[in-house]
Amino acid sequence: MLALVFAAVLTASAPPPTDMTLTILSEVCLPYVAGEPRDAASLGPLGFVVTAADEDTLNFQSEDQAYILRLTTTGAAADDNLNRVCVIQARRGGFDGVKRSIQPLLREQGFSPEADLPPGRAIWTRDGVTVSLRQNPGAAAIVRVTYSTLDAG
């Protein structure tokens, strides 16, 4: 009986998949591309573990493997070629679910949507930051957040 109650509490408290994508976008990707320092250990509470790391890139996955996250920084601001990229591969929620989840946050933060894009593609921009969402048939939804000093003018 206690196991059933415990399982019900865990199920009730787990965020829906699209909310997890929103959490990753708002708490990890947008701050990362804005240049806020990010310690890999801080992703632990979100259920992420490091899968690979090198000088420029950190790769993570959620413990249940439903989300893959990659953070990459290349170039330098002093050379005016700094690029930061955060990619979320959401293996749950699908394109429409992820889009519904992240769209209100992007509007609230002043991102402008691009019009007339094909189905399975959405792009929002603001001050050198681009958030793109795409899904190829049979594949996971991909949210890609980028910042480039070349676009930030």
Side-chain angles (χ1 to χ4, degrees), residues 123-137:
I123 298 174
W124 300 267
T125 57
R126 181 196 77 199
D127 301 328
V129 176
T130 300
V131 178
S132 65
L133 171 60
R134 68 178 168 81
Q135 183 173 23
N136 295 328

Side-chain angles (χ1 to χ4, degrees), residues 96-137:
D96 292 331
V98 170
K99 185 176 178 181
R100 277 191 307 273
S101 177
I102 67 175
Q103 212 165 12
L105 172 72
L106 296 173
R107 281 190 198 125
E108 175 185 300
Q109 292 198 5
F111 282 85
S112 300
E114 289 192 16
D116 302 325
L117 293 172
R121 188 94 171 124
I123 298 174
W124 300 267
T125 57
R126 181 196 77 199
D127 301 328
V129 176
T130 300
V131 178
S132 65
L133 171 60
R134 68 178 168 81
Q135 183 173 23
N136 295 328

Side-chain angles (χ1 to χ4, degrees), residues 9 18 23-24 34 39 42 47 50 61 79 94 107 113-114 122 131 141 147:
V9 168
T18 53
T23 299
I24 298 166
D39 179 0
S42 67
V50 176
Q61 74 179 23
D79 298 331
R107 281 190 198 125
E114 289 192 16
V131 178
Y147 169 80

Side-chain angles (χ1 to χ4, degrees), residues 17-71:
T18 53
D19 287 346
M20 182 61 158
T21 305
L22 176 63
T23 299
I24 298 166
L25 176 65
S26 64
E27 294 183 17
V28 179
C29 288
L30 291 173
Y32 175 77
V33 299
E36 294 179 19
R38 175 61 54 185
D39 179 0
S42 67
L43 293 171
L46 291 176
F48 281 90
V49 294
V50 176
T51 58
D54 64 31
E55 187 176 317
D56 299 329
T57 303
L58 291 170
N59 292 294
F60 304 87
Q61 74 179 23
S62 60
E63 292 172 354
D64 63 359
Q65 300 179 1
Y67 297 90
I68 295 174
L69 176 64
R70 184 177 72 235
L71 305 173

